[in-house]
Amino acid sequence: MQRTAHISLNHWSRFFSTSISRKCLKSKAVPIQLNSRGYSVLPTPRDEEEKAMLDRILRVDHAGEYGANRIYAGQMAVLGRSRTGPLIQMWDQEKKHLAKFNEILAENRVRPTALLPLWNIAGFLLGASTAMLGKEGAMACTVAVEESISEHYNSQIRSLMEKDPDRYTELLNIIKEFRDEELEHHDTGLEHDAESVPGYWLLKNAIQLGCKAAIYVSERV
Amino acid sequence: MAALLRGLRAGRALRGLGSVVAAPTATSPHCSNLRAGFHCAAARLQDDSKSDKTFTSSSSSTASSTTYHEHYQAQSPEQDTETAEEASRPNTSYQDQSGEQGEEYETEEQLQARILTAALAFVPQHGWSMEAIASGAETVGLSSASTGMFYNGSGDLVLHFIAQCNSQLTEILAEQHNQIQLGQAEPKKTAEFLRDAVETRLRMYIPYIETWPQAMSILLLPHNISDSLKHLSTLVDDIWYYAGDRSTDVSGPSHPRSPSSIHTFLSPFHHHPSNIRPASAQLNWYTKRAALTGIFNTTELVMVQDSSPDFQDTWNFLDNRIQDVVNMAGTAKQVQSTGEAVVQGLMGAAVTLRNLTGMNQRR
């Protein structure tokens, strides 16, 4: 019902648009050859809006995994030679996530966010500075980041399910799998005395606020 | 009384004229465009007032003015007999029109695309303007008043042409890609691929090269700029995609290209594993497209004022620009590796110093 209303609204706006090519751009078929392999995680988008929505989702997920990688890199740079066991395992999983998103972005010709260099530096600094507070600080940072990433994945899953769960099954499976792993990291962080760092509440909320801002911006830029 | 009648007639004629603008698929007229249409209607009004009509014939002429495709009939005495016939079948022609539309239904956009494609043939003659579109409309078999559909006029024509060129290029590149996949052709090196793609695309301008400066200035108009930039960015993205660019993909297995082609060109940091230097590989997506946009635009500018045979100067310029970018990428890679060597040297020196002063020992 919403979809038909949305489609009719779109037709109406097309009728009033003052440029044919703008109409052409809106209604043009998505390029024939989207990926070099026949198989893709994403369904072929039906129109520009769906492509824009999928682009947004993938762009922000890619930016998120990239940032998480850099945070772990920062933490490892400071704490690398000390208690590295749990940290290493989490970082390896993040690398796997990033590789998967790189692959999806390249196949589906999604534009990565232009702010990647910013997330590079910011993530590294965040990881390094929290690691300097000690192991508990690093764990607190992990807990905060993983919690906001899981929330974010959950809301994406929700919106994809609302639209059309059958169409997006593969993408949903990937996001669900990643969300489960991020929740594991979150629990690992809690197990390793994240809450015992002084100023835990402040640190956690500050980091989560930063994450929310980063997600908002990465979707758009 | 006569003045009242004249006023009525003028009102009906204007309303009828309005319906002509709204329904562009009228039969072929005798006037060439909308402005002339007004003149026709005015002339008709004058004819009406000049001719010695009785009340009944004048009423039938006003009745006929509501059937829109009578407006552009020749101003002749036989108009009276025709209008008398039309008055007896007031709405048949309108129904015929809608019947035709039902049989060969196409969307307005497809119709506009057809008209614009036909209009391209008249561009060398009329330039990128409404006259060309009107001539195109006539070729397709429609009234030239159908130019009323195009709010942006020459902008629509130029943007349509650009979109057409882009899709032609995409088809050619996809075909080449298929050939390579089937093993019937050799994959090209990136620099050569880009050069060929840009040359193919610019060659599509050759038939219109005389009027191309006008087209470029039309594209720079504020209301056209966003669309022309969108077309440019899709063009550049397509070319890089078919050149094999997968720049967010640092470690994926999907691309079969040999290291010599992609990795030596504009991916100076490609050899490093992703956990050390992921940022620069990601920024590649933007720098590659920006570089290609620069190359394409400057080459286009050179082309419009090039008078050498078969635009040889333009292609030489293109070669040089691509070579510049390749050199710059190579230089950047060298700087990068030099920097890393320097850093390693410094670290080594620091460790040596610590050893010498004994600070490295744990006590």
Side-chain angles (χ1 to χ4, degrees):
Chain A
M1 175 64 179
Q2 271 178 345
R3 186 179 213 142
T4 51
H6 188 62
I7 289 175
S8 59
L9 189 68
N10 205 29
H11 280 307
W12 195 251
S13 65
R14 268 186 227 167
F15 179 77
F16 280 120
S17 82
T18 55
S19 150
I20 294 177
S21 63
R22 219 172 286 145
K23 281 187 228 168
C24 279
L25 283 174
K26 272 189 192 147
S27 61
K28 97 177 162 173
V30 199
I32 313 150
Q33 187 169 22
L34 267 191
N35 48 9
S36 46
R37 311 198 270 195
Y39 162 82
S40 166
V41 165
L42 300 184
T44 311
R46 280 186 218 114
D47 51 21
E48 286 287 322
E49 292 147 42
E50 191 182 354
K51 175 123 181 59
M53 176 202 74
L54 288 172
D55 273 10
R56 233 190 347 266
I57 289 181
L58 289 170
R59 186 177 313 134
V60 71
D61 286 349
H62 175 253
E65 292 298 342
Y66 180 73
N69 264 282
R70 295 305 292 158
I71 291 176
Y72 280 119
Q75 289 182 347
M76 282 298 286
V78 174
L79 287 177
R81 283 184 210 100
S82 59
R83 288 152 275 206
T84 57
L87 282 179
I88 285 184
Q89 192 216 20
M90 291 195 282
W91 192 15
D92 285 341
Q93 276 189 328
E94 297 293 348
K95 282 188 210 161
K96 207 184 54 143
H97 292 181
L98 182 62
K100 184 69 189 163
F101 276 121
N102 276 337
E103 202 181 296
I104 298 180
L105 251 67
E107 273 174 15
N108 295 286
R109 302 180 63 170
V110 177
R111 173 181 70 86
T113 169
L115 297 170
L116 281 177
L118 179 62
W119 304 145
N120 178 19
I121 299 174
F124 194 85
L125 285 178
L126 178 64
S129 53
T130 50
M132 285 203 239
L133 294 176
K135 181 190 137 204
E136 291 79 19
M139 290 296 139
C141 172
T142 304
V143 164
V145 170
E146 299 293 3
E147 189 176 314
S148 60
I149 285 191
S150 315
E151 258 179 57
H152 171 68
Y153 277 151
N154 274 334
S155 66
Q156 281 187 347
I157 290 173
R158 238 173 281 139
S159 65
L160 284 176
M161 293 280 245
E162 269 169 16
K163 284 191 172 53
D164 193 348
D166 298 319
R167 197 169 154 72
Y168 302 117
T169 14
E170 305 227 7
L171 181 61
L172 275 173
N173 283 340
I174 288 183
I175 298 184
K176 281 181 195 164
E177 186 191 328
F178 288 3
R179 180 214 44 200
D180 293 339
E181 286 174 1
E182 306 290 358
L183 280 175
E184 268 174 39
H185 297 175
H186 173 258
D187 296 338
T188 311
L190 281 178
E191 278 167 27
H192 285 85
D193 308 321
E195 284 160 340
S196 62
V197 72
Y200 171 72
W201 183 89
L202 190 63
L203 187 64
K204 178 164 176 263
N205 281 307
I207 293 176
Q208 287 191 331
L209 194 63
C211 284
K212 283 202 186 76
I215 287 174
Y216 181 83
V217 175
S218 294
E219 273 180 348
R220 283 155 185 81
V221 174
Chain B
M1 181 62 169
L4 190 63
L5 270 177
R6 236 175 258 139
L8 266 176
R9 241 178 273 148
R12 291 253 175 89
L14 282 176
R15 192 168 19 109
L17 202 61
S19 69
V20 169
V21 174
T25 56
T27 54
S28 65
H30 294 266
C31 316
S32 64
N33 61 22
L34 212 56
R35 234 176 286 123
F38 276 115
H39 293 315
C40 285
R44 238 188 97 251
L45 279 177
Q46 283 175 2
D47 274 351
D48 279 352
S49 58
K50 279 179 201 155
S51 68
D52 205 7
K53 286 193 180 148
T54 63
F55 187 77
T56 50
S57 64
S58 67
S59 73
S60 65
S61 72
T62 54
S64 73
S65 68
T66 61
T67 63
Y68 55 86
H69 68 259
E70 284 309 303
H71 282 168
Y72 295 99
Q73 296 286 332
Q75 287 87 35
S76 62
E78 64 206 12
Q79 187 182 24
D80 283 344
T81 51
E82 283 178 0
T83 58
E85 284 174 0
E86 280 304 319
S88 61
R89 321 184 297 263
N91 283 327
T92 327
S93 50
Y94 191 74
Q95 281 170 357
D96 278 346
Q97 204 66 25
S98 59
E100 272 174 28
Q101 276 184 348
E103 282 163 2
E104 39 178 58
Y105 180 70
E106 63 177 343
T107 63
E108 187 182 333
E109 286 160 11
Q110 285 172 339
L111 177 65
Q112 285 174 345
R114 262 203 313 148
I115 295 179
L116 290 177
T117 311
L120 288 177
F122 297 94
V123 163
Q125 193 185 352
H126 292 300
W128 302 88
S129 63
M130 277 302 221
E131 277 84 31
I133 300 181
S135 316
E138 278 173 0
T139 315
V140 173
L142 298 168
S143 152
S144 66
S146 50
T147 56
M149 271 200 285
F150 300 103
Y151 304 109
N152 201 5
S154 43
D156 284 338
L157 186 54
V158 180
L159 289 169
H160 171 82
F161 174 62
I162 299 243
Q164 207 178 37
C165 289
N166 285 353
S167 50
Q168 275 176 8
L169 181 71
T170 313
E171 279 171 26
I172 294 176
L173 291 179
E175 183 54 41
Q176 284 179 4
H177 185 76
N178 282 342
Q179 294 282 322
I180 294 177
Q181 300 280 51
L182 293 171
Q184 288 169 6
E186 286 299 312
K188 296 183 196 171
K189 288 180 139 311
T190 312
E192 194 191 320
F193 181 92
L194 293 180
R195 189 206 173 286
D196 286 343
V198 174
E199 184 182 336
T200 311
R201 178 63 174 75
L202 285 176
R203 276 192 185 275
M204 296 179 194
Y205 291 162
I206 290 182
Y208 307 98
I209 199 71
E210 300 292 321
T211 50
W212 195 247
Q214 183 198 5
M216 286 172 71
S217 60
I218 290 173
L219 285 177
L220 285 175
L221 291 174
H223 51 269
N224 289 329
I225 267 197
S226 65
D227 290 324
S228 66
L229 283 179
K230 269 191 212 132
H231 280 115
L232 182 60
S233 63
T234 47
L235 169 71
V236 168
D237 189 37
D238 283 342
I239 294 182
W240 266 119
Y241 176 77
Y242 284 108
D245 173 44
R246 304 284 183 272
S247 29
T248 65
D249 188 356
V250 184
S251 56
S254 59
H255 44 244
R257 298 185 77 87
S258 64
S260 59
S261 57
I262 270 291
H263 298 206
T264 52
F265 182 81
L266 270 195
S267 338
F269 316 120
H270 207 109
H271 290 292
H272 298 276
S274 58
N275 55 357
I276 295 183
R277 280 257 176 210
S280 20
Q282 311 308 330
L283 205 51
N284 262 339
W285 196 94
Y286 287 90
T287 50
K288 281 182 184 173
R289 280 150 182 80
L292 187 58
T293 307
I295 293 175
F296 183 81
N297 282 337
T298 47
T299 313
E300 193 182 353
L301 284 172
V302 167
M303 193 173 165
V304 292
Q305 45 84 46
D306 186 12
S307 51
S308 61
D310 195 34
F311 298 93
Q312 203 49 46
D313 286 348
T314 308
W315 314 134
N316 292 340
F317 178 86
L318 177 60
D319 281 334
N320 291 338
R321 293 293 74 70
I322 292 194
Q323 206 50 45
D324 282 347
V325 174
V326 171
N327 290 342
M328 204 150 49
T331 311
K333 198 165 28 159
Q334 280 175 1
V335 164
Q336 167 74 359
S337 47
T338 309
E340 282 183 359
V342 165
V343 164
Q344 276 182 3
L346 285 176
M347 295 294 279
V351 168
T352 312
L353 204 60
R354 285 206 335 228
N355 283 339
L356 285 177
T357 57
M359 286 190 329
N360 233 6
Q361 295 168 14
R362 289 167 209 253
R363 298 201 188 160

